[in-house]
Amino acid sequence: MSIGAYKQKVTAVGANVQTISMKFLTILTLAAVLMLPSSYVQAQGAPVIAAIAVEGAQRVDAETVRSYLTVREGDAFDPVRIDRSLKALFSTGLFSDVSLRREGETLVIIVVENPVINRIAFEGNNRLKDEDLSAEVGLKARMIYTRSKVQNDVDRIQTYYQKSGRFSVTVEPKLIQLPQNRVDLVFEIDEGKLTEVQNIRFVGNRVFDDGDLQEVVRTRETRWYRFLSSDDTYDPDRITFDRELLRRFYLKNGYADFKVLSAIAELTPSRDQFFITFTVEEGRRYKFGDVTVEANLRDMKAEDVAENLKIETGEWYDATVVDQSVEDLTDAVGNLGYAFVDVRPNVDRNAEDGIINLAFEIKEGPRVFVERINVTGNVRTLDEVIRREFDVVEGDAFNAAKLRKSITRIENLNFFERVDVKQVPGSASDKAVVNVDVEEKSTGSLSIGAGYSSSDGALAEFGIRERNLLGRGQDLALNLSVSQRKSQIDLSFTEPHFLNRDIAAGFDIFSTETDNQSESSYDTKTTGFGLRFGYPISANLRQGWRYTLKTSKISNIPDDASIYVADQAGDKTLSEVSHTLSYDRRNSKVRPTEGYLVSMTNDLSGLGGDSRYIRNTFRSRYYYKIADGWISSLRGKTGLVTGLGEDVGLLDRYYVGGDDLRGFANTGIGPRDTSTSDALGGEFMYAGTAEVSVPLGLPKELGITGKVFTDFGSLMTVNPSGTNVSDDGTIRSSAGVGLTWVSPVGPINIDFAQAITKASYDQTEVMRFNFGTKF
């Protein structure tokens, strides 16, 4: 290349470099101008936003779009504020896409609106109903569709299925485009297989083996007989509850240092089974050491309430006994007139000797009064139905023991699914507000039942009942039962707080037909009504009164029946007043394991009608827990009926046999016409049972328990007389074994008994079977 050509090339390159440098400086200058504050730019004559135009908006008004911007007409084209405006529009959730551009002095906003949901549908859900899933998702019809909200709802549906034990569930949302920017949202669900718990293992347990602890936790290993239970499906909330159950179990058995170190659930690669491992640290077992009461209240000594302690030195430590002792002491101190008390158990743990010393400190608590009681959540139930169960009212001294009792009474109404009671501060430091929040449940029931019993044969039942009539707590029931030997219809009504007092009053209207041909060669038909009321005398003592007026007809007496039965044929009217006094100290009225019940019933007939007698019946029951699953019980009753100037009729006498004396048939013992084998009943009776319920080593959820029992009793007339009548009054006894199964279709009882002592004319039976269910 010549020197001249080289110089020309160098000159051209220099010119290009100069041009590029000028352009770069221009860009930097423009950027610097845009970065300056708008006031400065305006002052320097820089471009400003003359107009803001909105494109693409259909449902959303253009002015609404402008309201989300951080710039206005007259402001400079500030990149920072324009970027903030872009983010603000996206954050509204109204738009799927937003873009901004400058056209001269106009800022143009281009939006693409999110569609509106027309409806939401679910496909593939067989285990869960549409309404349940609809309540779970957050999106609803006529709401704006956004991807983030849909993904949240997908996660919610999956979590909802996982709680029911289906961890392999998949949920895929699909959109169906509709006119006017609307969509149908469809959640396509593949529920997958039920994720079951294959194995539950425990690590670190030395005292209790895995089988013992598996009975403590609520979660169960999958087995074929758990087809009606969901306890063998994995639920993380249930695992958390299982940790608490393990803690309570060990604390109840003396292991005060017990800890659950971890609870790990491992899902198999097939996602249909879980292996659960609990790692525990048992610690050592403690016994109760010294147990004392320290009273720091004026004019009260520790000896005044110490007798309420049920803890004995040397017994294994039990946290539930400690909690109960705190409640018992609080109640006892409150009954002595001290409204403001605080009972605290001070624990002195001696790990070296395995001893826990307890000192219950009773001191004056803060002086707090009940300012107000708020009741919420009750839609049907009237406020007064809930408030009348409280032992405290506005203005009373706040008493935690009375509040606990009040909560129990509200729960025992069985009107509510949930009862939450919270104490919150009132308008002053010495005032408290009690908030009661309830969740009502259905109190009406329609039942259809079927079954079989040795007493009545095959039976069918129909019942309709409302336990909270019109939200007033009243009980109205109509029951109809038909069996091979007996049919009955009964209408009953109960007002639990008659005249706004703690008096349960009501009436019964009934009609019964009974076939007694196999026992006494006659049929009966009884129609009548009864009035009743009862009230508590103390916490455990209750008294009741009843008046009954009924007519009975004895008919269908065969020619070869006993002359004593034939003599009773025809219609009779009974007018009877009854009195019952009962004392109940059982720990449960449904399935008692400890405590006792005694009652006395007195019946007086003769205030009108055809029958005149006085009848006294005494009953008692006692329960004692021998060990876990081993419950012993003693039951007994005795009665005497005496005619007032006349003989006692067949329908007013006692009959013994069957359920109260197993091994003998219904009315199987007592006075009998030996020429016809007709049972004639007796005027004096007694019967008793000693029974032990025993576990059979089967899983508890099967509900099968065994029992060993012996029954005894006798029935006689006070002044025996008559031809061909056998009435020796000797004691009868029997012994046997049985099974009780709380089955999915109702309770089933099977008893096998053998009569040991009996009379030649008694009627015996070996097996007694009862089955019944209601739907």
Side-chain angles (χ1 to χ4, degrees), residues 409-675:
R409 293 176 61 177
I410 296 174
E411 292 174 339
N412 288 341
L413 291 174
N414 201 22
F415 296 164
F416 309 107
E417 198 76 46
R418 173 183 53 81
V419 179
D420 291 332
V421 178
K422 294 181 180 179
Q423 174 195 353
V424 297
S427 59
S429 59
D430 62 343
K431 295 181 180 180
V433 175
V434 178
N435 292 326
V436 183
D437 183 43
V438 299
E439 180 182 344
E440 293 179 320
K441 65 180 180 181
S442 175
T443 54
S445 62
L446 175 67
S447 62
I448 301 174
Y452 178 86
S453 73
S454 298
S455 300
D456 299 326
L459 58 91
E461 294 182 343
F462 171 82
I464 183 170
R465 182 183 183 188
E466 173 55 60
R467 296 181 291 103
N468 188 13
L469 186 65
L470 302 177
R472 299 178 179 275
Q474 299 165 337
D475 192 338
L476 179 65
L478 174 65
N479 292 284
L480 172 65
S481 63
V482 179
S483 67
Q484 290 178 292
R485 299 186 59 250
K486 185 178 182 180
S487 62
Q488 179 175 346
I489 184 170
D490 184 1
L491 174 66
S492 64
F493 173 81
T494 302
E495 167 55 66
H497 280 260
F498 184 62
L499 299 177
N500 292 323
R501 298 179 180 272
D502 195 5
I503 299 174
F507 66 83
D508 301 281
I509 302 174
F510 53 88
S511 179
T512 306
E513 295 185 15
T514 307
D515 179 359
N516 298 302
Q517 295 291 337
S518 60
E519 294 92 356
S520 302
S521 301
Y522 65 87
D523 295 338
T524 60
K525 181 178 180 179
T526 302
T527 303
F529 73 92
L531 301 175
R532 50 185 162 76
F533 67 95
Y535 46 86
I537 297 177
S538 64
N540 305 111
L541 184 63
R542 188 171 184 85
Q543 189 171 37
W545 298 86
R546 180 183 179 91
Y547 172 74
T548 303
L549 178 64
K550 64 182 180 180
T551 60
S552 302
K553 181 179 181 180
I554 296 179
S555 61
N556 295 335
I557 301 175
D559 296 336
D560 58 351
S562 170
I563 59 174
Y564 304 104
V565 173
D567 185 56
Q568 297 286 314
D571 297 334
K572 294 186 181 297
T573 301
L574 173 71
S575 177
E576 179 184 77
V577 176
S578 301
H579 164 260
T580 299
L581 195 64
S582 61
Y583 188 72
D584 192 351
R585 293 299 301 268
R586 295 173 298 174
N587 61 348
S588 170
K589 291 180 173 58
V590 181
R591 302 181 67 86
T593 59
E594 292 181 343
Y596 59 89
L597 165 69
V598 293
S599 67
M600 173 187 69
T601 300
N602 314 110
D603 303 318
L604 175 63
S605 175
L607 303 177
D610 303 320
S611 300
R612 289 173 175 80
Y613 61 81
I614 183 170
R615 179 170 53 207
N616 301 294
T617 307
F618 299 87
R619 295 178 176 86
S620 64
R621 296 192 175 194
Y622 174 78
Y623 300 90
Y624 178 74
K625 184 176 180 180
I626 303 173
D628 189 24
W630 294 73
I631 309 297
S632 64
S633 63
L634 298 174
R635 301 190 295 272
K637 66 177 179 179
T638 184
L640 174 66
V641 55
T642 304
L644 300 178
E646 60 181 39
D647 293 336
V648 181
L650 288 178
L651 300 182
D652 304 322
R653 297 184 178 185
Y654 294 107
Y655 293 87
V656 177
D659 292 334
D660 53 6
L661 188 54
R662 288 161 289 189
F664 294 86
N666 292 327
T667 69
I669 72 169
R672 188 178 301 276
D673 189 332
T674 54
S675 63

Side-chain angles (χ1 to χ4, degrees), residues 287-292 306-326 329 345 356 358 360:
K287 290 185 176 181
F288 284 116
D290 296 332
V291 181
T292 59
E307 61 182 12
N308 292 277
L309 287 178
K310 301 299 187 290
I311 302 175
E312 295 186 9
T313 301
E315 291 184 342
W316 292 114
Y317 175 78
D318 187 344
T320 60
V321 175
V322 176
D323 294 338
Q324 185 61 48
S325 298
V326 171
L329 288 174
I356 291 181
L358 286 174
F360 290 91

Side-chain angles (χ1 to χ4, degrees), residues 680-737:
L680 304 178
E683 298 167 345
F684 173 72
M685 60 81 63
Y686 62 88
T689 295
E691 182 174 296
V692 178
S693 177
V694 299
L696 300 177
L698 300 172
K700 288 185 178 180
E701 64 266 28
L702 281 181
I704 301 177
T705 57
K707 53 186 171 182
V708 180
F709 60 85
T710 178
D711 294 344
F712 63 91
S714 184
L715 176 66
M716 67 195 77
T717 54
V718 177
N719 297 305
S721 62
T723 307
N724 298 325
V725 175
S726 296
D727 182 15
D728 57 12
T730 59
I731 188 171
R732 275 74 158 178
S733 63
S734 65
V737 296

